[in-house]
Each structure stands twice: as structure tokens, then as C-alpha cells.
Amino acid sequence: MSSRPSRGAARLAAILDALPDALVLVNANGTVVNANTIALEAFETPGTALVGRGLLDLLPQFDSKLIPGSMRRPEHLDPQARTKPTRMIARRTDGTEFPVEVTSANLENGQQAYDGYGYSGDELLMLVVRDLTGTVDTEAELARSQRQTEMILRAAAEGVVGTDTDGRIVLVNPAAAQILGFRASDLGGRELHDLVLHSRPDGTPFPYDESPLADTLRSGRKHRVRGQVLYAKDGGKVPVDLTTAPVRDGDQLVGAVMTFTDRRPYDAVVEEKEAAEKRHAEELERVAEEHASELTALRQQHVTEVEELTERHAEELAANEERYAALGEREKDRFEALAARHEQLLTLLGRSLRGPLDELRRELAALAADDAGQLWPEANQVLHHLSAGYARITTLIDNVLGYQRLDAGSEDIARTKVMLDAVVAAGVDGAVELIGPGRVQFAVHAPPIEAEVDPRLLATALAHLVADVAGVDATGNTPVSAGGYLDNTVVVAAAQRGEVVRIEVRGPYAGGDTVHEPIVRGIVRAHGGVLQTHDVPGMSGSAYVLEVPIGGGAGAVAVQPVDESAALALVDPAAVDAAAVDAAGQTSGGGRRRARRATTDAFLDGDVQGGEGEAGPTADA
């Protein structure tokens, strides 16, 4: 003890200090007068003292009537004033609180504790205080765990029944009682097997020794049984899925727990599903029958409609065949009539008209020769002009007949490897025959290019292109320009572009004559080439661009040496006029030829764009 009695015994003090609980002595004034070591450790904090403190400061919930000096002390109180352990909150000397359990008793000095006048001052109150800090936490945790277990058992949808080693019920949750139709209070202490497992599903007795519960209590093995039957309070059968498991306390088997799930909702769902599937199958069968009947009716209707459509189509085909046969006969008659007129026209041109024209030309040529010199110069000039006109008409008829034979397939092109400059020269000369000498000027550029073409037909095509852009009609007349002076130069230029030869023919007039252009397109198409028309910006008239494949030709070849006048003609147009043109302004071919201009080079070097074009094999003549 911290304060020993004046005549105290050391042994008694040592015993009190060894006590596991705090011991506190309180005098009649309610003041702590002594305490053992455990009490000092429990209540004192550094810098404070326990002895001298008021009891109610340390134990605010303590009953003050039990203090020896209390004037309200009950008369019927036990002389020793022993009290049962009471839980309350204690307060340390620094004010912190902790839970305790307090037991108190009075200590007397051997004299009467109370006399007629009240309390004698030698009485003390002894308190035994047990610190419950750890105990309260453990109890609270146990209580919380117990409450949680109870809530889990109450919330579980499965039935849970616990038994002791004799198979008597010691635990049951609400779900188990509800499934079996009992009240939970009615099941405690009753034998589980005899209550709900006494019979098999067929009603025959089910011995306890053969049940899974008995085997679990004997061997500690777990069992899971599907489709087990439990008997409810009213005797009804309850199908369940049942599980038994042992309950052990360490290694000792102390009981078993049986859990079971009511299969009746599941079986009801299964039955409902089977009924729904049956209804669905019946509905499917009914719909299938209806669909089959509707399909049969639709098929029959479709067959009828197909037969009607087939019959109607056959009638329409027969009517169309008759109509088309009549139309074919009419078209055949028209074609035969056109073919007869075409043949008549060709015969007229080739025989009836061609011969008399040749005869007239020869006679006019003979008259124009005037061997006797008897004609006037004006008459001689007229005769020459008429002879040239007949020659032009004869040439035009020959070219038209040649195109007709080529277009009809009675005559094919004869390809041969030739130099394109010779073909261009022949085309220019042929153009002079068509338009007459001295009517236009020429600017010709034809480099040496070897191509595999029909030279006669290609020269004929160039001649008609030149005649078309020159604007000279079949009578030999040239339209009068509204602006007065009009440059009558015709440009003929050739160049190689890859595997094709491009020839440009450009003149002062738009062209498009119904005689010249079809002949050219037919010849170009027979060569597998293209003929395009273009409007040249900034210049009058139009331009034709003719493209034909080189074929087996070698293309551009090395330039052969030429004489000075020929070289001069390719460079300087003024030199051509001064050196190569005679006083009459005519060359040996009957027309004036100039070197190519800068616009010709630009046109040949650029890509062909715009205008109207025709692919040879597919275009219409």
C-alpha cells in the first residue's frame, strides 16, 4: 500500500499489492485514504495523486448512499454493506475515462457501526475495482459477432438447423421454420430426424442410422443430397436439396448443421417452363399448320398467276413476232430499196456519169490546146477552166466511189511501209487537183517518218481535208470574207507521238463539207486511227488532227541531206517566195508552199484537247 498503517503489517501490505484488481479505501468523508499498487497504476497519471481524491470524482456513477458518512444511508443495509459487482465508468486523475466493475464492502473497528445518533467516525469503505477495458472490447466484439451471425441466419433464404451429438435441435433460423411450417420456439430440443426425416419420398420408414445426418454425427463426413424429402408440420412433403456438415470444437465433434433449400419454387418454375414450352410447341404447331395452308394457297395462287402470265406473255410474243415480222419485212423492203438506189447511184456515178465526164474533159482539153491558134485568149482561158472543173469532178467521183467500196467491205486497205513525207506531198498534190491550182498557199512540214499505211488512201484523206479547210466548193468558188482580206494559207504538219503519227491540217475555213469529211473518217477508221476537229484560239478557221498507228514502220528516221533551196524552204518562208516560186506564183505541183510556222510547232508539241474526235473502228462515218 502507498500509505501504510502506523501499526500495519508488511506482509499484509505485500498481499494487497499482489492482488490482480485495484483496492481503494475511502473514509467517511468519501475521500480516498489508501490504495494498492494496481489502483495507483489504474487511476494515477504523471503529476497527479490518487490519495486525497474524492471517490465520486473517480467513480461518478457510484451510489453515494454507500459511503459510510452518508446521511441517506438506508437502515436495512447489510452491516458489512457488501454489494454485487457493478459496471460503471471510472475517471482517472487526468480526466480520461475507462470501464470498470466495482464491488464494495464496509470495514468496521469492532464497535457498533451505528448508534442512535448516527455514524461513528472509525468506519471505512473498501472498493475492489476491476479494469474492463480489454474485457468490454472482447464482449462487444462477441456481441457484435453474435448479432451479425443472427442477422445472417435471419437473412438466409436457406433453412439452417443445428443439432447436438444426439441429433437434437439446438439452432434453427426463421427460413427453416417457415419452410417446415413450425414456429422456431417449437423446434428447440426436439430430435430432427424423427421430426422431419422419418420417411422416404414413397412413404416408407427412413431409419435414423441410414440418414446423412446420422453418418455426419458418427464420422464427421459431409453429405450433399439432391431431391431429398422433408416432412412439414402438416405432414406435407417438402422437396429440398440438403447438406449436412459436422460442427467441431477443436478436434472434438460437438454437433452437426443441416442446411436445405426449398425446391418447390424451383420445381414450380420448371413446371411453368415445361408448360410454357408445351404451349409454345402447340402454338408453333398451330402456326406451322396455318403457315402451311397459307403457303399452299399462295403457291397455288402463284402457279395460277404464273400460268396466266405465261399465257399472256406467249400471246404478246406471238403478237410481237407477227408485228416484228411485218416490221422486218417493211425494213427489208426499205433496205432493198435503199440498196437498189445506192447501187443505182453508184452505177450512175461510176458508169453513166463518169464516162461522159471523161469524154467531155478530153474534148475540152483538146479545144483548149488550140493547135491551130484560132481561139481568142479569153475563150482559151475559159476552156482551161472548164477542163480543170471536169477533172476536179472526176477525181471527186472516183474518191467517193472508193470510199463506198471501202465502207461496204468490198475493198480493203493495202498497208505498206512508206515514208510519211511522200504521203503528205501526194496529199497536197491531190488537194490541188480538187481545188484547182493557185487557189491557196501551203505551209508544209513533213519529217521523214516510216509508217505502215495505205499510201494511196491516206493521201486521198489528206487531199480531202485540205480541200475542206480551204473553203473551195465543188464549183471551184471560194466564199468571200466579210472582213475583206483573209489569209488563205493551209498548214499541213506531221509528227510522231509514241506509236502513232499525228498530222495536222489547218485552214482559213471551218470545213465540215458533207462530201469531204465522211470520206476522211472512213479512211481513218479503216486504219484504226482517230480524226478530231479543233478550234484554234486566236486564229480563223478550224483544224483537223489525224492520228494513225505507225504499225510495222520504223518511225522517225535520220534526215537525208537536201539541196540549199529545199533547206531554205523549211526555214524561211520569204526564201520560198523568192527562190522556189516562179513568176506566176506556182510550183511544179500547181500551188505555193511555205515553210511551217511557229504555231504549227506549238500545235504539234502540245496534247490534243477539246474539239470533236472519233475512234476509227467504232465511230460513224
Side-chain angles (χ1 to χ4, degrees), residues 79-125:
Q80 294 184 350
R82 292 188 179 92
T83 61
K84 296 181 180 180
T86 304
R87 290 191 178 186
M88 61 185 67
I89 299 299
R91 186 179 296 163
R92 294 184 180 91
T93 55
D94 63 352
T96 59
E97 297 178 346
F98 61 100
V100 295
E101 185 179 71
V102 179
T103 304
S104 64
N106 285 337
L107 296 178
E108 299 181 359
N109 57 0
Q111 299 180 355
Q112 183 66 31
Y114 291 89
D115 56 16
Y117 297 99
Y119 168 71
S120 64
D122 294 336
E123 192 174 4
L124 295 176
L125 177 66

Side-chain angles (χ1 to χ4, degrees), residues 3 8 33 39 43 55 83 110 113 177 268 297 338 358 370 417-418 446 526 528 564 617-618 620:
S3 177
V33 297
F43 284 94
L55 175 62
T83 61
L338 288 174
D358 284 341
D370 191 16
K417 295 180 181 179
V418 295
E564 182 178 355
T618 59
D620 188 4

Side-chain angles (χ1 to χ4, degrees), residues 498-520:
E499 297 299 322
V500 299
V501 175
R502 177 184 296 180
I503 303 175
E504 173 202 357
V505 178
R506 185 174 68 237
Y509 295 96
D513 190 278
T514 56
V515 174
H516 300 298
E517 189 173 354
I519 295 175
V520 178

Side-chain angles (χ1 to χ4, degrees), residues 301-525:
Q301 181 181 357
H302 178 68
V303 170
T304 304
E305 291 177 354
V306 168
E307 291 177 354
E308 293 177 355
L309 290 174
T310 303
E311 183 178 357
R312 189 183 310 137
H313 182 63
E315 294 175 355
E316 291 177 356
L317 284 178
N320 288 335
E321 287 179 357
E322 294 178 358
R323 185 167 61 253
Y324 291 147
L327 183 60
E329 289 295 332
R330 289 196 300 270
E331 293 298 324
K332 180 181 178 182
D333 294 340
R334 290 180 57 190
F335 176 76
E336 290 178 352
L338 288 174
R341 289 196 295 271
H342 179 70
E343 185 64 28
Q344 181 183 11
L345 179 60
L346 292 181
T347 303
L348 175 64
L349 292 175
R351 298 179 184 176
S352 301
L353 186 59
R354 181 70 166 73
L357 287 175
D358 284 341
E359 184 66 26
L360 287 174
R361 186 180 57 143
R362 286 193 296 270
E363 291 178 357
L364 288 173
L367 289 174
D370 191 16
D371 296 332
Q374 298 177 358
L375 296 176
W376 290 90
E378 293 80 359
N380 187 273
Q381 185 177 2
V382 171
L383 289 174
H384 277 290
H385 180 72
L386 291 174
S387 178
Y390 278 107
R392 182 169 56 254
I393 294 174
T394 304
T395 302
L396 185 60
I397 290 174
D398 290 340
N399 292 341
V400 171
L401 292 174
Y403 160 70
Q404 292 293 335
R405 290 191 296 270
L406 184 64
D407 188 61
S410 59
E411 182 179 327
D412 295 329
I413 61 174
R415 297 180 183 272
T416 182
K417 295 180 181 179
V418 295
M419 299 304 295
L420 206 61
D421 52 351
V423 176
V424 172
V428 172
D429 293 338
V432 172
E433 294 181 3
L434 289 174
I435 64 179
R439 308 303 293 272
V440 295
Q441 302 181 77
F442 294 94
V444 180
H445 173 65
I449 302 173
E450 185 183 47
E452 188 177 18
V453 296
D454 188 324
R456 179 182 62 82
L457 290 178
L458 191 57
T460 301
L462 290 175
H464 281 277
L465 283 183
V466 172
D468 198 15
V469 299
V472 179
D473 58 15
T475 63
N477 296 321
T478 302
V480 178
S481 175
Y485 173 75
L486 184 65
D487 186 6
N488 63 348
T489 302
V490 175
V491 177
V492 181
Q496 181 181 354
R497 292 291 181 267
E499 297 299 322
V500 299
V501 175
R502 177 184 296 180
I503 303 175
E504 173 202 357
V505 178
R506 185 174 68 237
Y509 295 96
D513 190 278
T514 56
V515 174
H516 300 298
E517 189 173 354
I519 295 175
V520 178
R521 291 192 181 276
I523 295 174
V524 172
R525 183 172 60 249

